[in-house]
Amino acid sequence: MKKIILLLLTLCCLISACGKAEAQVPASTSAAPTMQAASAKANGPTLPLIKAGAVVPDVYKEKQLRPVENCGVFQLCADPVEMNQGSHYDAFAVNADGTLEQLEEAQFNNAYTLDGSRYHLNFDWAEHNGLKTATYIPADMEASMLTLSDEGSKSLFLLRWHVGEDSTVYSYYPVLLDLESGELTDLLANCRLGSLSQISNAAFSPDHSGLLLAQEGGAIYYCDLKSSTVYSLDELSGEPVKACTVTGDKIICWSQGGEGSGVLGDYHFWSIGLSDFKRQEMPSLRTDVDTSILRFAHLAGFDSQLRQGNMFSGSRYALCTDGSGQTYVLDMEEWNLRAVEGYTLPASNLSSTGSLDGQRLLLKDTGSNKAAVLDYRDCTLVWLDIQSAEGLSWFDSDTVLEHPGDGNFYLYDLK
């Protein structure tokens, strides 16, 4: 009898041990790793985790590589000593395995007379995926290329238009330069600019039929290139415009304060139709969310700020939060709110940077050293498997670049 009892006890121990061993076996994983956000709600969805696809050493041929943010290329100084201005650079694209491929460069050298002023445009440039970037601009050239403004072989250039006799005060004047034929188009030649001077920023509308202009100090204008007519958005709106974006057949404008159907948080929104150039109020926002408590975590439009030589015409999307961390995407064209599932916005130590095509938002949580990317279009969010949230930037509109200081660049492909 004792032997039978002892045998039964032994079998029970073996069964118990097997049960524990099976519970510790990890569940099968798919090809795309996933990760539950530390700040996600308890029953929220598990978010995908994106690992770095390409790793590029930050030193090449014994020289420091520098990324050209938003353009998707690296540059390497080709001169013995790198200067703040006027240095020559080689441009490189990145292959999938992290190797660099040098891009073919072209030279441009021509002179133009515009409104009595002579401009000598002498620079080198390279192109990758339809985007042109300058690889050499002499320090004394009175013009700069507006990156991301490409229209085939043409790009926007901002000429420095000196104001009065003071050589240190100038206004930008946008012209369209064909880098293949050398033809320069004065886009504003037939526009009556009047007192419009000290232009600090310019951007094409999405279909290139219009041109946004901003003055130093904040006033914003829209030039209809078909009719050569310049409109003051302040005058059309009947109030100052803080920022705007062109989307569909209208210009969405916003400012702080105000009242009416277009109020959301601390801002109110309205539109200006591109067919009649009249102000239109926003319809009532259909939502169950208490919009009075919403605050904007990220709202970026066209304004007087020139973004490091890149063209940015604003984004139709914005990110809102209700104070508890629940986030919502505002689509200004559709005028609706959509909740972002599986993510709670940190209360502090968060910074955000939008891609310059206005489609995505990079969220950097330096407090917990985490980073995520939100795709505005479908409200999906992914985590990035990073080392340092502080070393992140946009390599292009589909790729995040990390430079954590360990001797490498890491590229996260979001496509």
Side-chain angles (χ1 to χ4, degrees):
M1 185 67 180
K2 290 182 179 179
K3 290 182 178 180
I4 293 174
I5 293 173
L6 185 60
L7 180 61
L8 289 173
L9 289 174
T10 303
L11 288 171
C12 288
C13 290
L14 288 171
I15 292 171
S16 175
C18 290
K20 290 180 181 178
E22 288 176 2
Q24 293 172 357
V25 175
S28 61
T29 57
S30 62
T34 58
M35 167 180 174
Q36 182 69 35
S39 58
K41 294 186 176 180
N43 297 321
T46 301
L47 304 176
L49 177 68
I50 305 297
K51 294 182 176 292
V55 180
V56 181
D58 61 10
V59 173
Y60 183 70
K61 296 182 179 180
E62 301 182 348
K63 288 187 177 182
Q64 185 72 40
L65 278 174
R66 71 170 194 177
V68 183
E69 294 183 7
N70 301 294
C71 293
V73 299
F74 285 101
Q75 288 188 347
L76 187 74
C77 184
D79 298 331
V81 178
E82 186 172 8
M83 309 294 289
N84 289 332
Q85 287 182 306
S87 289
H88 296 78
Y89 292 90
D90 294 328
F92 298 86
V94 182
N95 296 317
D97 60 358
T99 58
L100 298 177
E101 180 179 345
Q102 187 167 352
L103 300 175
E104 183 179 352
E105 295 181 41
Q107 295 181 330
F108 189 93
N109 191 353
N110 213 337
Y112 305 89
T113 300
L114 198 65
D115 197 27
S117 297
R118 190 70 171 170
Y119 293 92
H120 183 199
L121 304 185
N122 172 29
F123 58 92
D124 299 347
W125 59 282
E127 185 172 0
H128 177 58
N129 288 339
L131 298 179
K132 304 178 192 65
T133 180
T135 57
Y136 165 71
I137 293 182
D140 59 351
M141 193 173 90
E142 295 286 338
S144 57
M145 178 189 293
L146 195 57
T147 311
L148 308 182
S149 66
D150 305 278
E151 185 182 11
S153 61
K154 304 173 183 178
S155 295
L156 270 181
F157 275 71
L158 300 179
L159 305 180
R160 293 188 182 92
W161 195 294
H162 292 279
V163 178
E165 298 179 357
D166 189 347
S167 61
T168 63
V169 179
Y170 59 88
S171 171
Y172 285 125
Y173 189 82
V175 294
L176 190 63
L177 181 65
D178 191 322
L179 275 66
E180 292 183 359
S181 69
E183 180 184 2
L184 185 141
T185 303
D186 183 356
L187 297 169
L188 305 177
N190 298 319
C191 299
R192 298 178 180 178
L193 297 182
S195 60
L196 178 55
S197 62
Q198 292 186 274
I199 298 172
S200 59
N201 196 9
F204 276 125
S205 63
D207 63 358
H208 286 222
S209 66
L211 189 67
L212 289 167
L213 303 171
Q215 280 182 299
E216 193 71 43
I220 302 176
Y221 300 81
Y222 179 83
C223 177
D224 185 343
L225 297 178
K226 295 179 180 178
S227 65
S228 297
T229 306
V230 176
Y231 298 92
S232 165
L233 298 192
D234 287 359
E235 293 180 4
L236 294 176
S237 302
E239 62 178 293
V241 175
K242 181 178 180 65
C244 69
T245 185
V246 180
T247 176
D249 59 353
K250 54 185 174 286
I251 306 170
I252 306 291
C253 304
W254 59 88
S255 189
Q256 288 182 290
E259 57 185 20
S261 59
V263 172
L264 191 62
D266 293 333
Y267 289 83
H268 73 289
F269 299 78
W270 65 95
S271 67
I272 295 172
L274 292 176
S275 59
D276 57 7
F277 290 95
K278 292 182 179 180
R279 173 170 173 153
Q280 303 167 358
E281 302 303 325
M282 290 297 194
S284 297
L285 192 63
R286 295 182 180 179
T287 178
D288 296 330
V289 179
D290 182 1
T291 58
S292 66
I293 66 173
L294 293 182
R295 295 295 179 267
F296 283 96
H298 191 84
L299 174 64
F302 175 84
D303 54 22
S304 60
Q305 179 187 359
L306 182 62
R307 288 165 169 77
Q308 298 180 329
N310 295 308
M311 190 187 82
F312 178 65
S313 57
S315 175
R316 62 183 272 189
Y317 302 102
L319 187 67
C320 309
T321 180
D322 63 3
S324 68
Q326 175 62 56
T327 53
Y328 303 87
V329 170
L330 172 67
D331 184 337
M332 295 179 227
E333 182 174 352
E334 299 296 331
W335 196 237
N336 61 30
L337 279 174
R338 290 177 294 169
V340 179
E341 301 295 339
Y343 180 77
T344 300
L345 198 72
S348 60
N349 300 313
L350 180 82
S351 61
S352 57
T353 308
S355 59
L356 291 188
D357 66 354
Q359 306 297 317
R360 293 187 175 96
L361 185 65
L362 173 61
L363 298 159
K364 297 177 283 187
D365 181 358
T366 55
S368 60
N369 197 38
K370 295 181 181 296
V373 175
L374 170 66
D375 191 320
Y376 280 133
R377 293 162 291 188
D378 56 10
C379 287
T380 57
L381 191 138
V382 297
W383 290 101
L384 302 182
D385 188 18
I386 60 165
Q387 298 180 49
S388 172
E390 295 181 350
L392 298 174
S393 60
W394 285 104
F395 190 53
D396 59 36
S397 292
D398 295 317
T399 312
V400 172
L401 179 141
E402 180 187 12
H403 192 207
D406 66 348
N408 293 307
F409 292 106
Y410 299 86
L411 300 181
Y412 299 85
D413 188 355
L414 303 172
K415 297 191 297 292

